[in-house]
Amino acid sequence: MSAEATDPGAPPRKRSRPRIDLRRLGRVAVLGPVARDRLPDAIGHVAEAHRAHHPDADLSVLHKAYVLAESSHRGQTRKSGEPYITHPLAVTLILAELGAETTTLTASLLHDTVEDTEVTLDQVRERFGDEVAYLVDGVTKLEKVDYGAAAEPETFRKMLVATGNDVRVMSIKLADRLHNMRTLGVMRPEKQARIAKVTRDVLIPLAERLGVQALKTELEDLVFAILHPAEYEGTRALIAAAGGGRDPLAEIAEAVGTTLREAGIGAEVLIRPRHFVSVHRVRGKRGDLRGTDFGRLLVLVGEDADCYAVLGELHTCFTPVVSEFKDFIAAPKFNLYQSLHTAVVGPEGAVAEVLIRTHRMHKVAEAGVVALGNPYAHDGGAPAQAEPADGERADPTRPGWLSRLLTWQESATDPDTFWTTLRDDLAQNREITVFGPDGTTLPLPAGASCVDAAYARYGEAAHGCIGAHVNGRLVTLSTVLNDGDTVRPLLAQDASSGPSPQWLDHARTPAARIAIAGWLETHPDGAPGSPGSSPAGPGRRGRPPEGPAAGHPRGPGRAVGVRVDIPGAPVRLAGCCTPVPPDAITGFAVRGGAVTVHRRECAAVSRMREVSRAAVGARWDDAADRDGAADFRVTLVAESFGRPRLLADLTEAIATADAAIVSATVEPPSEQRVRHTYTVQLPDAARLPGLMRAMRDVPGVYDVSRAQRPAPTG
């Protein structure tokens, strides 16, 4: 994992500890043995940083690992001319400053030995145990001689799979990449750009998802300097210019500290400078920068309750900017981050952003999963292999996004597909949680649809999904889910069903996209049972025809079975709502003196009344009905999921109910749903409820209703 010389233009680290002179350490590392009663000076800085977080740590194993690393790398140099041992020392120091435990530091010292020296993995295992060997193997790159152009994506696949069992693998990789980025200056510009792009697309999103903000922010600045040098220099100049005069944040910080002391709240108020990329983003958002835009206030307290006490005092004693308030304590981010965010107006009108968190929250916000220490210690130090009994999110080192990644990568056998999909997946940096009907949780990326939920829950069985219930309502598969939704995907009974190409437009998760694309590739002509195929040909879009064929019995004359309050007036039943007994009805006079009869709940009735059209009394002629002189037409709309033979089954149900089909239309399928509109003629209006029940009982039909189409008002 070679990396190169120090870049004098790289931004300084934001930690209080001064940067170590690695050239001096390199010389110390090769000077020979030291007294047995003390650590070599080269590892002393690591030990000091480690003891600051772990006072009782056993440093003997670090000494042992350093001796092996120094002796195995002896004679090797980096492209800058420094002894190679300076690289594992620097990586280990980064992790020690973040609070990593002893096992991680041991593996970090040894992380390049198997890859770049004669030391074997078995030797590491024999001297340091299975746990250290697992971490070293996890970050060891695959050989290009064996994998060719696929070596880089397959190395990342190997690291991610190892991270699924032990998240400390990725912690070491991130620290390794940070030191390599710090020392990239002697590389050719094109190689710098290539490494920076991979860092931007893969490593920085992984650092964000693992919550290691201290590494993520510095990586962002280093990538920014390489890929956007002009913007970087402009931002550097802005920050330098802002540092010369009066600091409005310092004044607000002093006022905040005074307010909290007077309220009896023990708190530490700090000014937290923004890093280069953050300043650049704020400038792009706001244009001209204010003096307070170059940093934020950080308020650290002892307990969770104190966070809300601080918030109450700030919002009482200062004018809050309500739109800036966010509570990430009650609802932590998916990367373990917790804080209260707010903004207040200072004494002279300056607006300052404020972060409020406990000291423990601050440690996790900076170091993420590294701050968890050794999450596997309760298992005797072995990497965890089994899924937790109460769901994968119970283990903060195996969050939902990582489990999803490990699942879909198994299907992405082609390295190019894996590499492209990995970048797309990591670009989705927000997450939601939806629930199954039984209360189980399903973490998904923001913007995920019911398609994604179906594949996340059922795997390849979701090929037969025909819809979903979201919060108790039937919805289409394209419906975008929100945080907290309850989702129940509906699967077709036909095992031969498969997805349609349109599903790819709605799928956000790699697992769904890979599964859909794989099915479509193996079924280029679709499948007979595909819910995306039309059950009855292309059909004909539009409304059923007006006139006698659309629900106007016996032509334009008097409608048999209806009496109106205008004697002798021609009567017709409205085609928009096709009333039948015992519907409550009303009439309206139209051109030519005829009366059109509607159901009272018809939308046309409301429109008539809005324009002050006088209603005409209308009622069913019971005597005509009893004499059997009337037959009735009604228009019904059947909503269904597409499947083979649906049209045949519906027409058979209608015929069995002793109804005659006057006209029918089938609209082209849309998102696996099909709308059938039938105008049927019934010998007896009392048979209508039974007909509608029979149609609803047809498999795939989820609703049958009376037509409510717009009608001319005359």
Side-chain angles (χ1 to χ4, degrees):
M1 299 185 182
S2 58
E4 325 324 329
T6 302
D7 178 4
R13 291 186 294 173
K14 301 174 180 60
R15 305 181 184 87
S16 58
R17 186 182 302 278
R19 178 168 290 183
I20 304 302
D21 184 351
L22 291 176
R23 291 183 182 273
R24 184 182 64 81
L25 285 187
R27 290 192 297 271
V28 171
V30 295
L31 286 179
V34 297
R36 290 180 177 272
D37 59 346
R38 67 184 182 90
L39 292 172
D41 288 344
I43 192 89
H45 298 285
V46 172
E48 179 186 351
H50 186 39
R51 278 281 172 84
H53 293 277
H54 304 277
D56 300 326
D58 179 9
L59 301 180
S60 63
V61 67
L62 289 182
H63 182 207
K64 182 179 175 182
Y66 168 75
V67 170
L68 176 60
E70 190 279 324
S71 61
S72 60
H73 287 296
R74 186 173 297 170
Q76 295 179 349
T77 59
R78 309 184 80 213
K79 283 191 168 61
S80 61
E82 297 170 336
Y84 194 87
I85 189 62
T86 58
H87 172 64
L89 275 172
V91 172
T92 306
L93 183 59
I94 291 170
L95 291 169
E97 289 177 337
L98 289 175
E101 39 69 58
T102 308
T103 301
T104 303
L105 301 187
T106 303
S108 177
L109 283 168
L110 300 170
H111 79 272
D112 275 345
T113 55
V114 174
E115 181 179 321
D116 293 334
T117 76
E118 298 299 319
V119 175
T120 67
L121 192 61
D122 287 339
Q123 289 173 324
V124 172
R125 183 177 294 107
E126 181 181 348
R127 296 190 188 188
F128 299 96
D130 290 341
E131 196 173 359
V132 171
Y134 185 87
L135 299 179
V136 171
D137 183 47
V139 294
T140 299
K141 290 195 293 188
L142 299 173
E143 293 290 343
K144 279 192 176 182
V145 67
D146 297 324
Y147 288 84
E152 185 173 37
E154 289 302 328
T155 292
F156 271 98
R157 189 201 299 263
K158 172 176 174 280
M159 289 180 188
L160 288 167
V161 171
T163 299
N165 287 328
D166 194 327
V167 75
R168 292 172 293 178
V169 170
M170 192 53 64
S171 300
I172 297 172
K173 177 59 183 177
L174 290 171
D176 172 74
R177 178 54 61 95
L178 176 57
H179 183 245
N180 285 345
M181 289 294 297
R182 286 176 180 172
T183 58
L184 207 59
V186 297
M187 301 292 291
R188 298 187 308 275
E190 59 271 20
K191 188 167 185 180
Q192 290 187 39
R194 185 186 67 79
I195 295 173
K197 287 176 181 177
V198 173
T199 303
R200 176 196 63 193
D201 295 343
V202 179
L203 273 302
I204 288 175
L206 284 170
E208 167 74 15
R209 293 190 179 202
L210 293 172
V212 195
Q213 294 296 319
L215 303 188
K216 179 230 176 189
T217 53
E218 189 173 348
L219 284 171
E220 281 187 325
D221 285 349
L222 293 166
V223 168
F224 186 36
I226 292 172
L227 298 183
H228 306 282
E231 291 90 339
Y232 176 82
E233 289 301 327
T235 304
R236 178 199 284 275
L238 279 174
I239 294 174
R246 162 178 162 270
D247 186 0
L249 268 180
E251 298 177 8
I252 299 176
E254 184 177 352
V256 168
T258 301
T259 298
L260 298 180
R261 283 193 299 272
E262 291 175 352
I265 301 174
E268 185 179 359
V269 182
L270 306 172
I271 296 176
R272 186 172 178 82
R274 290 184 184 273
H275 64 294
F276 285 67
V277 170
S278 180
V279 171
H280 180 70
R281 288 171 180 160
V282 172
R283 185 186 184 193
K285 179 180 177 182
R286 297 177 183 166
D288 294 335
L289 294 175
R290 306 169 299 198
T292 54
D293 287 336
F294 293 92
R296 291 179 287 189
L297 298 186
L298 175 62
V299 181
L300 298 177
V301 294
E303 303 292 337
D304 290 13
D306 295 336
C307 295
Y308 293 96
V310 169
L311 181 71
E313 288 297 323
L314 294 184
H315 284 192
T316 300
C317 300
F318 299 87
T319 302
V321 181
V322 179
S323 61
E324 296 292 328
F325 174 68
K326 297 181 180 67
D327 187 346
F328 294 118
I329 295 178
K333 291 186 179 181
F334 67 91
N335 61 0
L336 310 178
Y337 178 88
Q338 288 184 287
S339 284
L340 296 178
H341 289 203
T342 189
V344 297
V345 181
E348 297 183 5
V351 177
E353 295 183 36
V354 186
L355 311 178
I356 308 167
R357 59 179 72 141
T358 66
H359 291 278
R360 169 64 178 168
M361 291 174 190
H362 181 58
K363 182 178 180 181
V364 174
E366 289 290 287
V369 294
V370 179
L372 298 176
N374 181 2
Y376 312 99
H378 61 278
D379 294 330
Q385 301 289 340
E387 295 291 340
D390 55 349
E392 55 196 28
R393 289 182 67 107
D395 179 1
T397 70
R398 182 71 178 273
W401 66 265
L402 180 55
S403 292
R404 292 197 307 272
L405 188 154
L406 295 174
T407 298
W408 69 252
Q409 67 85 24
E410 294 178 354
S411 302
T413 54
D414 176 62
D416 291 337
T417 300
F418 166 76
W419 197 230
T420 302
T421 307
L422 176 64
R423 296 184 185 202
D424 292 344
D425 190 11
L426 293 176
Q428 302 173 27
N429 58 3
R430 288 200 311 113
E431 186 167 284
I432 62 173
T433 300
V434 299
F435 299 89
D438 55 356
T440 55
T441 60
L442 199 64
L444 294 169
S449 68
C450 293
V451 172
D452 299 301
Y455 280 95
R457 187 174 181 87
Y458 296 116
E460 291 192 355
H463 290 331
C465 194
I466 55 177
H469 280 104
V470 175
N471 303 325
R473 297 182 58 192
L474 190 68
V475 299
T476 62
L477 287 174
S478 63
T479 300
V480 175
L481 300 171
N482 297 311
D483 198 33
D485 281 346
T486 298
V487 185
R488 181 167 68 89
L490 305 175
L491 302 184
Q493 296 178 351
D494 183 0
S496 66
S497 295
S500 70
Q502 288 74 28
W503 288 22
L504 290 171
D505 297 332
H506 313 308
R508 292 289 303 276
T509 58
R513 296 187 63 83
I514 291 173
I516 295 167
W519 191 94
L520 294 173
E521 184 177 349
T522 56
H523 299 77
D525 298 324
S530 172
S533 61
S534 171
R540 182 166 58 89
R541 185 178 296 275
R543 300 184 306 179
E546 298 292 341
H552 302 287
R554 308 202 192 286
R558 177 179 180 273
V560 177
V562 178
R563 294 184 180 276
V564 297
D565 290 347
I566 300 179
V571 179
R572 65 188 183 196
L573 301 180
C576 55
C577 57
T578 55
V580 297
D583 294 337
I585 55 176
T586 188
F588 290 92
V590 295
R591 294 187 187 92
V595 175
T596 300
V597 176
H598 298 261
R599 286 191 286 155
R600 286 182 184 173
E601 63 267 27
C602 179
V605 173
S606 299
R607 291 197 300 272
M608 294 283 194
R609 288 173 175 164
E610 287 172 1
V611 297
S612 301
R613 293 283 292 274
V616 176
R619 56 201 170 277
W620 297 107
D621 187 344
D622 293 337
D625 190 22
R626 283 194 302 269
D627 294 340
D631 51 5
F632 298 92
R633 290 183 182 177
V634 62
T635 301
L636 302 175
V637 178
E639 302 278 356
S640 63
F641 295 115
R643 67 171 179 83
R645 290 191 50 80
L646 178 61
L647 181 60
D649 291 346
L650 271 170
T651 54
E652 182 180 353
I654 294 171
T656 302
D658 201 18
I661 298 175
V662 177
S663 65
T665 61
V666 181
E667 298 183 15
S670 174
E671 298 178 346
Q672 292 75 56
R673 297 202 303 179
V674 183
R675 179 192 293 265
H676 297 242
T677 304
Y678 298 94
T679 297
V680 298
Q681 185 164 303
L682 294 166
D684 183 353
R687 299 190 183 190
L688 178 60
L691 169 62
M692 296 176 70
R693 282 195 300 271
M695 294 174 66
R696 289 192 186 103
D697 288 340
V698 173
V701 176
Y702 59 83
D703 192 25
V704 176
S705 59
R706 301 277 294 277
Q708 289 284 357
R709 297 179 290 102
T713 58

